[in-house]
Amino acid sequence: MPTSTATPLVSALQQAVTDPARVLTRDIDRHANAHDASHFLLVPQAVVVASDAHEMGQLLAASAAQGVPLTFRSGGTSLSGQALTDGVLVDVRRNFKKIEVLDGGARVRVQPGVTVRALNNRLARYGRKLGPDPASEIACTIGGVIANNSSGMACGTSDNTYRTLESVTVVLPSGTVIDTGAADADERLRALEPALHAGLVRLRQRVCGDPASVATIRHQFSMKNTMGYGVNSLLDFERPADILAHLIVGSEGTLGFVAEAVFRTVAKLAHVTTSLMIFDDLEAANAALPALVSTGAATLELMDALSLKVGQSLPDAPPIIAGLAVRAHAALLVEYHADSPELLTDLQATGETLAGSLGLSSPAHFSADAAARAQMWHLRKGLYAAVAGARPQGTTALLEDVVVPVPALGRTCIELISLFDKYAYRDSVIFGHAKDGNIHFMLTDSFAGSASLDRYRDFTEDMVSLVLGEGGSLKAEHGTGRVMAPYVRRQYGDELYDVMRQIKLLCDPAGLLNPGVLMNDDAEVHLRNIKSTPPVAELVDRCVSCGYCEPVCPSREITLTPRQRIVTLRAIEQARLDGDTALAASLTKDYDYNAVQTCAVDGMCQTACPVNIDTGLLVKSLRAADATAVAGAVWNAAATSWGTVTRGAGLALSVVQKVPTPLVLGPNKLARAVLGADTVPLYSGELPAGGVSRARKRPPAAASVVYFPACVSTMFGPADAATPGVQLSFEELCERANITLLVPPAIDSLCCGTPWASKGMAAGQASMRARTLAALHAATNNGDLTIICDASSCTEGLRQTIESDTSENRLTVMDALEFAALNILPSLPAYAKLDSLALHPTCSSTRMGINDALQTVASAVADRVDVPEGWGCCGFAGDRGMLHPELTASATRVQAAEVVALGATAHASCNRTCELGMTRATEEPYRHILELLADQTRPA
């Protein structure tokens, strides 16, 4: 479909929202938003970013008037194809993010765009958390949790979404808004939607009066079950408003829009111990489940033999499996949770006693150590990444999800393995939540062409027969979606299937709300619209479109996310393969700004990616490919004259700071217009004057360490010209601790190489790396001394430079934060602290794992240290915040509001450009945390 802004549909959608710019119809918007975490692909006609419940009602009316289907999308982590449409896609991720904690954390009111992690972070201070604990908690949102009746690894069926939901505010397809928690909710429902109210009463009577239906429902929902509508609500509740609220749970956006919900929370148990128990085979592991459950185990995660073989290839495989000669073995990851150390000790002792009687292949050992537990959990959670990441190019990973009664789990797994062999699905690991009889398995294939689709069809038929034959459900927690919609009637029978049809007709008579999902009479809908994944770049071809990267991406609310950068690149390649030159050209035209120019290349996406992709590396390669010869020559020259460049930049800032900002901006904006916004930085009044030379005389005494002050402090001086800046502050702290610093003699001409890396200037980067490595080898006596750097991004850049070093003498780099925490803080005398501090960790401090050191130093500076809940990469990214200030403005919007509300005494970070970005966003002076430490501990 060619991009258009003049169709009747688009006009109607624009009239439904307060800002027509939130109706997106460009090809890049439609294709970037076409993908969720499933293996399906539908391209919407338009994408709308809704702002509130009223707008949603208007959009539903516009959809109905135009006869075009409408689908809601939030986190886009769904795996069954329930968040896709070729109609109107409404994005509820960017807004709908309010959280209201009630009753001291016992309850919480929350909107659908909030991620589970963000909600749990808010609840943590009350010792509470959300009941559902899906593995995708970093990215999945409350809207999806409700739409799919999410559960997870520990919550089972007692603390899942259905059981912990108290009420919802729902916008029905008619536009009616019902708060089911209101005292008059039922009367309001009867008055505004009389047919729906009466219909729910009638359906409840119908189901309750049919013993066969009651028995089927009770059995199906005694397990985890997300197949079809939650007809158990017709048995569990009498009041139609309550029935409606719980029918909405698991309805996959087909009955109405949840504008907000109220949940009962559960206790967050702080004390945990974990063990990995190895059994001879699946039957033995399955046989141990009842005894383990009886001991109060919170989590029992199953892994089959192939899972253990795959796990052995992980870099930090637990010792218990590292040397195991895996044959038919199976493992259970067993975990106990408690609210006190004493109770945890008792639970662990019970578990250890039982383990001794289970005939394990290897002795079991429990550990409460965070590192040991993380190692065991990485085995379990790393399985998906290991298999999906290693799949052949051009193939898609399909993650399935079934449940059977626990006594049938062992034989079901064995039969599934037989089906994998029968249909030649290799590397199909089985893992899952054994306590609940809920397992996951993965198929990898192209799912293209008749042979591949026939194989998938036949496998699915056999798998359905197996699971239903054991009295199980075809979907335990991932939702019915499109993948299992053809089998709902087969699981429930004709009578209950008709009840579900009546539910849909009562709520959505026109059938325009997410049609084709959850129920579908097309027996082969699960074989249609399967996405293609043409190879585009080895760096990102293993991407499974899970969306875990999106919440940490600084450009997520202004242009594209990492997932969207990758899938759009695939869309361009697929258009070329299909001969659709117009689409390829349209996508390519908009890709540069939306994907390349506004990427912060901060690497935060890699910290969240289950297959370890750094999309920033892709963007750097694209910048390198697009770099002109002139630009390359300029950056090559800069590499050989870096001291002149940095001093010149600093001098320029010092000069323009003395000139009224409007006089600077006129010529500055003209230059950007002529030479390009991605070439000429935009000056802004909060920028400081330039800094000073980094050079220092060689110390007379033997050096303790080599100090590599970052060049950014030469270009940008301190936030306050009256303060010394980070280099002088760090030198002062070291002098007081009797630590002698050696600054490399040619420091003014040296750099970590990050500016060239971020712009894809490989030749200039290589030149600078060679010069810097030579200087550091000389200064450290070929690695005898540790190198200290005072800006987190430069520390990371130096580490990457050192990784490229082919010398036998290895260099070691430590960030000044780590060094100060270990070597300076212990020697400081008593001093007065600041009252409060707003702290901004950086993307580099996060990636390097030094935020604990940052927190330690910050706690030495102030009595109260606050990292805003909305913390994230500031998007300043070297010079990116000056080239594209809109990126930093978007990335810091939420965090800045929190910082202003905190009213902290001081504000700090650990990287100069990040300090600039946060100063711009909050209008509060951010300084390096070591500057504040020096201030507070300086003798009177």
Side-chain angles (χ1 to χ4, degrees):
M1 170 185 163
T3 299
S4 171
T5 57
T7 66
L9 171 64
V10 170
S11 297
L13 296 173
Q14 290 174 335
Q15 292 171 18
V17 295
T18 56
D19 181 4
R22 288 190 276 110
V23 179
L24 312 175
T25 59
R26 296 181 306 167
D27 288 324
I28 197 167
D29 296 318
R30 298 187 303 108
H31 283 266
N33 287 281
H35 296 254
D36 66 359
S38 76
H39 55 286
F40 294 99
L41 176 64
L42 290 169
V43 180
Q45 297 176 44
V47 179
V48 186
V49 181
S51 64
D52 54 33
H54 173 74
E55 271 195 358
M56 191 63 74
Q58 298 288 99
L59 289 168
L60 289 168
S63 163
Q66 296 296 317
V68 178
L70 182 146
T71 296
F72 313 122
R73 164 78 67 75
S74 190
T77 59
S78 298
L79 292 159
S80 300
Q82 56 267 62
L84 303 166
T85 183
D86 54 6
V88 176
L89 187 69
V90 181
D91 178 354
V92 300
R93 173 177 62 89
R94 298 191 192 186
N95 300 305
F96 299 98
K97 291 188 175 180
K98 292 180 182 176
I99 301 172
E100 181 185 2
V101 177
L102 307 170
D103 302 336
R107 297 160 62 242
V108 64
R109 187 186 309 276
V110 58
Q111 290 189 325
V114 177
T115 65
V116 172
R117 177 171 292 187
L119 179 57
N120 282 337
N121 285 343
R122 178 71 61 86
L123 291 170
R125 68 185 70 169
Y126 303 95
R128 309 292 292 182
K129 68 184 185 73
L130 191 68
D133 57 335
S136 56
E137 51 86 30
I138 186 175
C140 70
T141 64
I142 296 303
V145 164
I146 296 170
N148 294 296
N149 189 19
S150 291
S151 48
M153 286 174 279
C155 74
T157 55
S158 59
D159 291 331
N160 65 8
T161 308
Y162 180 89
R163 295 297 176 191
T164 57
L165 183 87
E166 185 174 287
S167 66
V168 295
T169 298
V170 59
V171 184
L172 295 169
S174 63
T176 297
V177 179
I178 300 290
D179 175 2
T180 68
D184 64 344
D186 211 54
E187 291 73 16
R188 181 176 170 82
L189 181 63
R190 182 188 292 111
L192 298 177
E193 299 283 345
L196 173 57
H197 187 279
L200 292 175
V201 171
R202 187 170 59 252
L203 287 177
R204 183 176 191 278
Q205 293 171 343
R206 174 178 169 179
V207 169
C208 290
D210 181 4
S213 291
V214 172
T216 297
I217 292 171
R218 292 300 185 205
H219 170 71
Q220 286 290 328
F221 290 93
S222 67
M223 307 174 288
K224 288 183 175 181
N225 179 23
T226 58
M227 276 289 279
Y229 288 117
V231 288
N232 51 332
S233 59
L234 295 169
L235 301 182
D236 295 342
F237 301 94
E238 294 185 10
R239 201 175 68 136
D242 294 326
I243 294 172
L244 176 63
H246 290 81
L247 279 173
I248 290 291
V249 176
S251 65
E252 301 178 19
T254 63
L255 302 181
F257 170 68
V258 177
E260 66 178 23
V262 176
F263 286 92
R264 295 178 294 276
T265 64
V266 300
K268 179 179 172 63
L269 304 180
H271 304 280
V272 184
T273 186
T274 310
S275 176
L276 188 64
M277 297 186 182
I278 309 297
F279 296 83
D280 288 344
D281 52 41
L282 280 163
E283 291 98 326
N286 190 57
L289 289 173
L292 285 166
V293 170
S294 71
T295 66
T299 301
L300 292 167
E301 291 293 296
L302 175 70
M303 288 163 277
D304 71 349
L306 185 55
S307 297
L308 297 179
K309 289 179 180 177
V310 170
Q312 287 176 325
S313 68
L314 298 175
D316 59 346
I320 194 170
I321 70 163
L324 183 67
V326 179
R327 294 183 295 275
H329 294 85
L332 288 173
L333 192 154
V334 182
E335 196 162 82
Y336 293 99
H337 300 169
D339 58 4
S340 70
E342 296 76 19
L343 178 56
L344 188 69
T345 298
D346 292 343
L347 287 170
Q348 179 171 316
T350 302
E352 289 171 337
T353 300
L354 175 61
S357 68
L358 294 178
L360 299 176
S361 303
S362 305
H365 301 283
F366 281 88
S367 178
D369 177 70
R373 291 185 55 247
Q375 199 174 50
M376 286 183 270
W377 274 108
H378 186 241
L379 167 66
R380 161 63 180 85
K381 293 184 176 181
L383 289 172
Y384 175 70
V387 177
R391 73 191 190 280
Q393 275 193 336
T395 61
T396 295
L398 186 162
L399 187 64
E400 273 294 5
D401 158 56
V402 298
V403 61
V404 294
V406 172
L409 182 60
R411 62 175 176 265
T412 301
C413 291
I414 292 168
E415 287 301 317
L416 270 175
I417 292 170
S418 296
L419 290 180
F420 299 152
D421 291 338
K422 176 180 177 180
Y423 291 102
Y425 284 120
R426 309 301 179 200
D427 298 327
S428 293
V429 294
I430 294 176
F431 56 92
H433 319 309
K435 186 176 70 169
D436 305 307
N438 171 204
I439 53 173
H440 307 306
F441 59 89
M442 186 160 45
L443 308 177
T444 57
D445 200 347
S446 65
F447 300 103
S450 59
S452 176
L453 290 177
D454 287 347
R455 177 169 70 143
Y456 175 47
R457 175 195 296 109
D458 295 343
F459 168 84
T460 301
E461 289 295 327
D462 283 353
M463 183 271 290
V464 167
S465 296
L466 169 63
V467 173
L468 296 185
E470 292 287 5
S473 172
L474 298 171
K475 278 294 169 187
E477 53 185 9
H478 291 172
T480 311
R482 287 175 166 80
V483 73
M484 282 296 150
Y487 299 98
V488 175
R489 183 194 297 268
R490 188 166 162 186
Q491 178 165 319
Y492 286 97
D494 291 342
E495 167 60 15
L496 284 175
Y497 189 72
D498 187 64
V499 168
M500 293 181 186
R501 280 199 170 283
Q502 296 307 312
I503 290 169
K504 173 67 171 173
L505 285 170
L506 286 169
C507 291
D508 181 24
L512 290 174
L513 201 52
N514 210 12
V517 165
L518 198 141
M519 292 189 299
N520 198 312
D521 289 335
D522 180 355
E524 296 196 336
V525 66
H526 59 306
L527 306 177
R528 308 190 197 285
N529 301 305
I530 295 179
K531 70 173 67 169
S532 61
T533 54
V536 291
E538 188 175 353
L539 288 167
V540 298
D541 282 339
R542 63 187 183 278
C543 173
V544 293
S545 303
C546 65
Y548 289 14
C549 56
E550 295 191 330
V552 299
C553 176
S555 62
R556 66 188 178 276
E557 292 189 0
I558 186 171
T559 51
L560 300 183
T561 66
R563 167 167 63 178
Q564 292 173 333
R565 287 179 168 90
I566 295 169
V567 299
T568 304
L569 204 58
R570 287 173 175 168
I572 293 170
E573 180 60 21
Q574 191 61 52
R576 289 171 179 156
L577 293 172
D578 294 341
D580 192 341
T581 55
L583 176 59
S586 172
L587 293 172
T588 301
K589 174 177 67 69
D590 290 323
Y591 194 79
D592 182 54
Y593 173 77
N594 289 274
V596 180
Q597 292 187 26
T598 51
C599 177
V601 296
D602 59 354
M604 284 298 291
C605 49
Q606 188 177 33
T607 67
C609 178
V611 292
N612 203 37
I613 292 173
D614 179 357
T615 310
L617 294 178
L618 168 69
V619 171
K620 290 175 184 178
S621 72
L622 295 174
R623 288 175 183 170
D626 291 341
T628 64
V630 171
V634 168
W635 279 95
N636 288 346
T640 60
S641 309
W642 192 236
T644 302
V645 172
T646 55
R647 285 193 300 272
L651 179 61
L653 280 173
S654 297
V655 170
V656 299
Q657 196 183 53
K658 299 174 182 178
V659 179
T661 299
L663 296 181
V664 178
L665 283 178
N668 183 207
K669 290 181 177 179
L670 177 61
R672 282 169 61 84
V674 174
L675 299 175
D678 205 44
T679 302
V680 180
L682 179 66
Y683 178 77
S684 52
E686 86 287 344
L687 290 174
V692 297
S693 169
R694 296 177 283 162
R696 295 292 187 268
K697 293 180 179 179
R698 188 176 186 90
S704 308
V705 293
V706 170
Y707 178 31
F708 192 99
C711 57
V712 69
S713 294
T714 297
M715 290 184 273
F716 301 103
D720 182 345
T723 60
V726 66
Q727 182 173 358
L728 286 171
S729 296
F730 182 63
E731 289 169 339
E732 178 186 348
L733 288 166
C734 287
E735 183 178 4
R736 284 193 242 139
N738 294 315
I739 297 167
T740 303
L741 303 176
L742 170 63
V743 176
I747 187 65
D748 280 339
S749 66
L750 304 180
C751 178
C752 66
T754 298
W756 291 266
S758 67
K759 294 181 180 299
M761 299 297 176
Q765 180 185 18
S767 173
M768 178 55 75
R769 277 183 168 179
R771 182 179 299 103
T772 298
L773 285 171
L776 290 176
H777 274 288
T780 63
N781 193 24
N782 282 322
D784 288 348
L785 299 178
T786 298
I787 303 158
I788 310 300
C789 185
D790 59 17
S792 58
S793 67
C794 301
T795 303
E796 185 177 24
L798 278 178
R799 288 182 178 180
Q800 292 166 355
T801 290
I802 287 170
E803 287 172 7
S804 71
D805 187 10
T806 57
S807 170
E808 293 180 1
N809 300 304
R810 305 304 296 170
L811 301 175
T812 302
V813 177
M814 178 181 285
D815 192 83
L817 291 172
E818 299 172 284
F819 185 80
L822 291 172
N823 300 287
I824 295 177
L825 290 185
S827 66
L828 293 175
Y831 58 91
K833 294 184 181 182
L834 294 170
D835 290 336
S836 59
L837 174 70
L839 186 64
H840 177 76
T842 71
C843 47
S844 289
S845 67
T846 302
R847 283 172 53 82
M848 292 188 294
I850 62 172
N851 283 341
D852 286 346
L854 173 61
Q855 184 71 42
T856 297
V857 176
S859 296
V861 169
D863 288 324
R864 194 187 85 230
V865 178
D866 289 300
V867 177
E869 288 180 7
W871 170 82
C873 172
C874 67
F876 207 86
D879 62 356
R880 198 75 9 199
M882 293 185 291
L883 294 170
H884 298 288
E886 69 275 16
L887 173 61
T888 292
S890 176
T892 57
R893 179 178 58 84
V894 173
Q895 182 182 357
E898 288 186 59
V899 168
V900 171
L902 284 172
T905 307
H907 304 76
S909 187
C910 54
N911 197 73
R912 190 70 192 99
T913 53
C914 301
E915 293 153 22
L916 296 176
M918 290 306 300
T919 297
R920 175 187 291 175
T922 64
E923 298 183 354
E924 296 286 353
Y926 271 74
R927 300 170 64 195
H928 197 291
I929 188 65
L930 293 178
E931 294 183 61
L932 297 179
L933 181 66
D935 286 353
Q936 294 307 117
T937 60
R938 186 174 293 120

